[in-house]
Amino acid sequence: MIGKIKIKNTLVANFTVMILLILVIGQGILYAWLMLYQRSYLKDRLRDEVAATAGLIRDAVTMGHDSKQLDMFLEMAVKSGTILSVKIIDVNGNILAAKAVQYKEEGSRINPFFMFYVPESNIINLPVKTSASGGGKDAGRIEVVYSGRSVNEVMRRFLIIPPFMQVATFLIVIYAIVKFFQRKVGRPVKRINEALARATGGDLTVELSEFRDDEFGSIAEGFKFLIGRLTSTLNKLRSMSEDVSMAINQLTLTFKNVNQGTQKQTEAINEITTAIKHAGESHKQITEDTGKLVDFSNENVTSLLEMKATGDEIALSTGRLFKAAEDAYSAVAEVSQTAKVIAENAGEASSAVEDTSAAVEEINASVKEVEGNARESARLASNTRAMLGGQCLDEVSDAITSMDTLMSEVKQSSEIVSRLSGRSADIEKVLKVIKDVTEQTNLLSLNAAILAAQAGEYGKSFSVVADEIRGLSDRTSASTKEISNIVKTIQSEIADAVKAIDSNMNRAAESHTLVYKSGEDMARALEVAQKSAAMADAIERATGEQTKGLKQIAVSVENIRKMMEHTAKATQEQQTGTAHLLESVSDVKDAADIVKRGAEEEAAGIKAVSTNLELADERIKQIGEATSGYQKVNEGTADAMEQMRAIGMAAVKDVEEVSISLTTLSKEIELLKKEMEAFKVKNAK
Amino acid sequence: MEKFAVFKIGEEDFGVNINRVVEILKSQKIYFLPELPDFISGVINVRGDVIPLLDLRKRFGIHTGAEKCRIIVVRCEDEKIGLLVDEIDKIIPFHPEEISAPPAMFKGLKTEYLTGLGKKEDRIIILLNIERLLTSEEKIALQSASLTADGLSNDS
């Protein structure tokens, strides 16, 4: 852009040519005027001389000299060399006397300086009059032809010598001017030019010093001042762009943290969701088991009712037996002879015993069934307990731990995002400073352009610098606007993220309470399950005791049957003594007593079992209700978790968008930085 | 070829011959001095020089909503005057044939304010005559005001 100026455009050349033109034109006009004046002066003098000679001849003619004397006069006139020929002519045109000199005719040369020359031949006619006494009439005329050669020779000398002198003087003057300009103007201009070329190339380290206190000195001062201002502005811009770059790097780092946090959060939520799903499945199992348990307890109740009926039958039979035995005893005691009655009674007793035995068998079967059911109940109850106590509680406590982690993660995210918000406010501040600097640069460029334009020819190259600065400030302004827009986008996205995180927090808190509630419900269900297990155990134990009692009854009834057979034999024999019989009947009475006690015991056992079973039934129903309630809670938790996960995903998306914006911003800043680095600047002092 | 510093007031472009321009400034603190003539908005302090400020927007009756403002310091008969304008555009060179004589009235401005109308790429730039921007009474008022201002600045 700025280079060597062509020699014909240099000020020195222009100036020199100008001076030369003025000198040549001025001198030329003066010289021409002088020459013309000289010529007319010389010409007039010559003419006067010739006229004087002609006058002498006229006087001679008038005075009436004879022709010989006249001829001598003419000879004298021609001898001088100036006069070429003399003729004396009378009134009628007859030549009275003539004299001419023989000279070389040089021909009519075309003289380039004709205006400075006198023609080669000139004619003067002088009229001759008769003397005053003769009447003063025209007597004729004298014609003199003279040459301008002598004048021309003088003129030629004047035309040749002075121009040569002038040329020599001009050469000396030109030399002096060129030398002077090279010293005073050429060198400083060259230095300023070089400095400008370097500055335009982006090198702001140029130094301009040792200038005299003239116009170049002030231009150099102005240039130095501008370079200084530009350097400081560039330094400011550079540090600014580095600050922005650092801030953005920090932002990017912070964002990565947020990203990780959010991902962790999403993972935690996924874990919780899985845990809650597991808990739900377990709960379904529990509900099914509890349903089965309820069925079983219903069956138990039916069995118990059957058993009670059987027990009542047994009691009736036992009562009959007892009565029969007592009757037999009193009969045997009172009547020893009435064997028939005895035999009848014994037969009756025997059939009663048979009935009893069958009833006992039946009871035994019922009790076995009850026992089986009770065992199944116990197993299911312990299953429930194990399920509630083990896996489920673990899962719930896992969920609570995850919830706590989630809460702290969300809180952390919230803090990070609010820090991010603060950072973007910092960026805004920095941008404001950049905007101020850009405006300052713009002003600087305008002032520089004005200075350059006022400097005229010298400022041309300088105005290129001014344009560059202006372009830089325009570009910076555009970049600043873009960055400002991006920062605004980031801020709104951060606000979105803050909203999302806030709603996340609320969701997490809700889920937290839900999970805690479900944990409490679980604990309550566990308690109920334990109680029902204990109940089932008690039922099992009671049933076992009952079975034992029934075995005793069976053994006793067997004994009675044997006794009865024995009695029957004895009755058949009828030989045996009544005392023996009595003894035997007494034995029967004792046995009947035992049977009665066993039956009573059994009734009590059945009552206990029945009460326990009813209790268990109630408990199981409670478990069922609690479980279904828990399941509802669980479903609510699962929904909340799903919502939370969706919000988390949205947060991740927001954060990713912010991340993309940040990357764009970072690129912009890099571009700006590169732009700045194109300028080579002295290190800031 | 003459160069003009082109600035904007509202939608209009105005030009001042750059040989008149001393410098361009950002908006500065404007000081109000007592006994200043009406057409002077105040004075500004430019590195110790007290310069009266003429609000061209008021002068030309152009109401602009521009927040930004710039000051062009021009030389007017050996006095410096600051002109308050909206925005400086750039330096534009005009060939003599691009400058036409102004009509009797142009956009409500009296022609005596104008040197001519510069035409460049569809734009018409109103070239101002700085000398005629102020009436002779105003010039006298300005001189006495600047004397007062100088006196104040010397006192302080």
Side-chain angles (χ1 to χ4, degrees), chain A residues 436 439-440 442-443 446-447 449-454 456 460 463 470, chain B residues 3 5 18-26 68 70 88-91:
Chain A
D436 284 352
E439 275 191 13
Q440 193 70 46
N442 192 19
L443 266 188
L446 273 169
N447 275 325
I450 285 168
L451 227 95
Q454 282 173 350
K460 246 180 193 168
S463 75
R470 191 182 163 81
Chain B
K3 292 182 176 176
I18 54 145
N19 291 323
R20 290 278 176 202
V21 179
V22 181
E23 64 182 319
I24 291 163
L25 298 170
K26 264 207 278 199
K68 211 164 123 179
R70 291 274 187 262
I88 312 294
D89 189 20
K90 55 181 165 187
I91 311 291

Side-chain angles (χ1 to χ4, degrees), chain B residues 1-42:
Chain B
M1 190 149 85
E2 282 186 288
K3 292 182 176 176
F4 287 86
V6 175
F7 56 87
K8 273 182 183 291
I9 300 175
E11 296 293 307
E12 300 302 330
D13 293 320
F14 292 89
V16 178
N17 194 317
I18 54 145
N19 291 323
R20 290 278 176 202
V21 179
V22 181
E23 64 182 319
I24 291 163
L25 298 170
K26 264 207 278 199
S27 55
Q28 306 245 329
K29 181 168 168 43
I30 300 171
Y31 297 93
F32 291 94
L33 291 181
E35 293 170 46
L36 273 184
D38 287 343
F39 62 96
I40 297 297
S41 303

Side-chain angles (χ1 to χ4, degrees), chain A residues 496-534:
Chain A
D496 284 352
V498 168
K499 257 190 228 159
I501 284 169
D502 276 354
S503 79
N504 251 0
M505 283 259 274
N506 288 342
R507 287 279 166 206
E510 249 175 64
S511 303
H512 201 245
T513 45
L514 281 174
V515 167
Y516 262 111
K517 213 181 152 209
S518 69
E520 276 169 19
D521 285 344
M522 281 281 222
R524 256 212 325 272
L526 180 64
E527 212 179 294
V528 171
Q530 268 169 348
K531 269 187 198 166
S532 86

Side-chain angles (χ1 to χ4, degrees), chain A residues 139-295:
Chain A
R141 59 188 170 97
I142 295 169
E143 190 190 274
V144 181
V145 177
Y146 65 93
S147 161
R149 190 181 292 170
S150 60
V151 176
N152 285 351
E153 255 160 38
V154 174
M155 288 306 287
R156 189 172 293 134
R157 270 207 304 282
F158 271 121
L159 277 171
I160 291 165
I161 297 160
F164 274 112
M165 297 287 276
Q166 287 283 29
V167 167
T169 319
F170 284 173
L171 282 176
I172 290 163
V173 168
I174 288 165
Y175 180 75
I177 287 170
V178 167
K179 274 287 152 193
F180 175 79
F181 265 94
Q182 265 181 356
R183 226 168 67 87
K184 289 274 180 184
V185 180
R187 255 184 277 159
V189 166
K190 201 179 160 199
R191 279 174 60 196
I192 287 175
N193 230 10
E194 279 168 4
L196 278 173
R198 280 174 64 193
T200 317
D203 181 4
L204 298 183
T205 58
V206 286
E207 299 251 10
L208 274 176
S209 55
E210 292 167 37
F211 270 95
R212 275 186 299 273
D213 198 12
D214 56 5
E215 288 88 335
F216 293 112
S218 73
I219 285 172
E221 274 304 310
F223 181 73
K224 265 198 275 182
F225 168 76
L226 275 170
I227 291 288
R229 292 286 285 272
L230 186 59
T231 306
S232 71
T233 307
L234 280 173
N235 276 334
K236 259 195 231 170
L237 273 176
R238 190 179 281 180
S239 70
M240 219 60 85
S241 75
E242 269 163 16
D243 280 356
V244 172
S245 176
M246 257 165 64
I248 281 168
N249 279 343
Q250 255 177 306
L251 267 180
T252 314
L253 261 176
T254 319
F255 249 97
K256 268 182 193 155
N257 282 348
V258 172
N259 234 346
Q260 279 176 1
T262 320
Q263 268 166 7
K264 269 191 209 165
Q265 187 184 332
T266 314
E267 278 167 21
I269 287 168
N270 281 341
E271 269 176 46
I272 290 170
T273 313
T274 329
I276 284 170
K277 268 185 192 152
H278 281 178
E281 278 166 21
S282 303
H283 246 95
K284 258 181 205 158
Q285 190 72 38
I286 289 169
T287 314
E288 275 172 29
D289 286 351
T290 317
K292 270 192 208 166
L293 206 63
V294 171
D295 288 350

Side-chain angles (χ1 to χ4, degrees), chain A residues 36-49:
Chain A
L36 284 172
Y37 179 79
Q38 184 81 12
R39 171 183 164 267
S40 75
Y41 169 73
L42 286 172
K43 192 181 162 191
D44 288 352
R45 222 177 61 181
L46 186 67
R47 195 189 167 86
D48 288 351
E49 269 174 31

